[in-house]
Amino acid sequence: MLDRTTVATKGSEGKVLVVRLVFERRAGQKVSGEWLYLLFGGQFLIGREEGCEIRIIDDRISRKHSLIRLGEENASLTDLGSTNGTYRNGELVEDDIIIENQDKIDVGQAVVYKVRTCHRNRRLSSIRLNNGGEAYLLATNEILLGRFQEDSPEIDLMIYDSSVDARQCRIEHFYNDNFIVALSPEAPILVNGKPVKELGLKDGDLVEIGQSAFRWKIVSLT
């Protein structure tokens, strides 16, 4: 199949960290097969090629298919000259577009992602892409974790657990280092079984908040 993709580079945005958060317990119950990808960076490449931050192995997807960039106020989506195109809400993306909350992004007529945008203090905090099978949370350098609240626009990662505080903790990424920070003494967090106020996260660490727990698994730093 002919591939007309143009090449994109990371430019000044620097490296992208990809982490898989693997849930082992939710609201006190053991779970398996539940995870999401957390990506920290300025821009994220979607495509079939190895090295793409969001990799889709499907012949309908170009090697470098499309690109998402995070700005201070919004996120943009660009098609990179892909063979089968990128669509937003059924319309072909021909120029850079601003991604809106509840958009549906169709990549190569192969995978459709539903979008959730998160803003704090009128600035973009993160966007989430979910296709019902895999979920990607894209952020520049920080996410806020807390209890699930219907239609909350400020919590990046909401957890279905009534024992989790509304704003339990945040995860920060700076210069390739990662930290978890507790936000309230009444809502402690545990890392590898020990209570912490602020701690650097390492590959394989088990993080417990409320009655839920997830494993911090580093996938790549590109």
Side-chain angles (χ1 to χ4, degrees), residues 116 146-153 155 158-159 165-167:
R116 175 183 182 262
R147 182 178 66 247
F148 175 80
Q149 303 170 69
E150 192 70 36
D151 299 324
S152 172
I155 307 300
M158 295 189 289
I159 298 176
D165 197 69
R167 290 173 172 240

Side-chain angles (χ1 to χ4, degrees), residues 201-221:
L201 287 174
K202 297 180 177 60
D203 185 38
D205 280 349
L206 181 67
V207 178
E208 299 176 71
I209 57 176
Q211 296 298 313
S212 298
F214 61 83
R215 188 77 59 177
W216 177 268
K217 297 290 292 181
I218 295 177
V219 176
S220 64
L221 181 63

Side-chain angles (χ1 to χ4, degrees), residues 49-86:
E49 188 174 76
E50 186 175 355
C52 291
E53 286 78 33
I54 301 176
R55 190 182 183 197
I56 307 171
I57 304 177
D58 189 301
D59 287 342
R60 292 168 290 181
I61 304 299
S62 295
R63 292 190 299 271
K64 292 181 173 67
H65 196 104
S66 51
L67 188 72
I68 293 177
R69 294 185 179 92
L70 301 187
E72 289 188 2
E73 298 181 357
N74 51 51
S76 65
L77 173 67
T78 305
D79 183 82
L80 299 175
S82 65
T83 300
N84 291 322
T86 305

Side-chain angles (χ1 to χ4, degrees), residues 67-117:
L67 188 72
I68 293 177
R69 294 185 179 92
L70 301 187
E72 289 188 2
E73 298 181 357
N74 51 51
S76 65
L77 173 67
T78 305
D79 183 82
L80 299 175
S82 65
T83 300
N84 291 322
T86 305
Y87 296 79
R88 193 266 298 272
N89 301 329
E91 296 187 2
L92 182 66
V93 175
E94 298 181 293
D95 300 303
D96 288 2
I97 63 166
I98 301 301
I99 300 174
E100 303 287 352
N101 194 44
Q102 301 298 318
D103 274 351
K104 291 183 179 180
I105 306 300
D106 184 336
V107 184
Q109 302 181 51
V111 179
V112 178
Y113 294 107
K114 186 175 181 180
V115 175
R116 175 183 182 262
T117 61

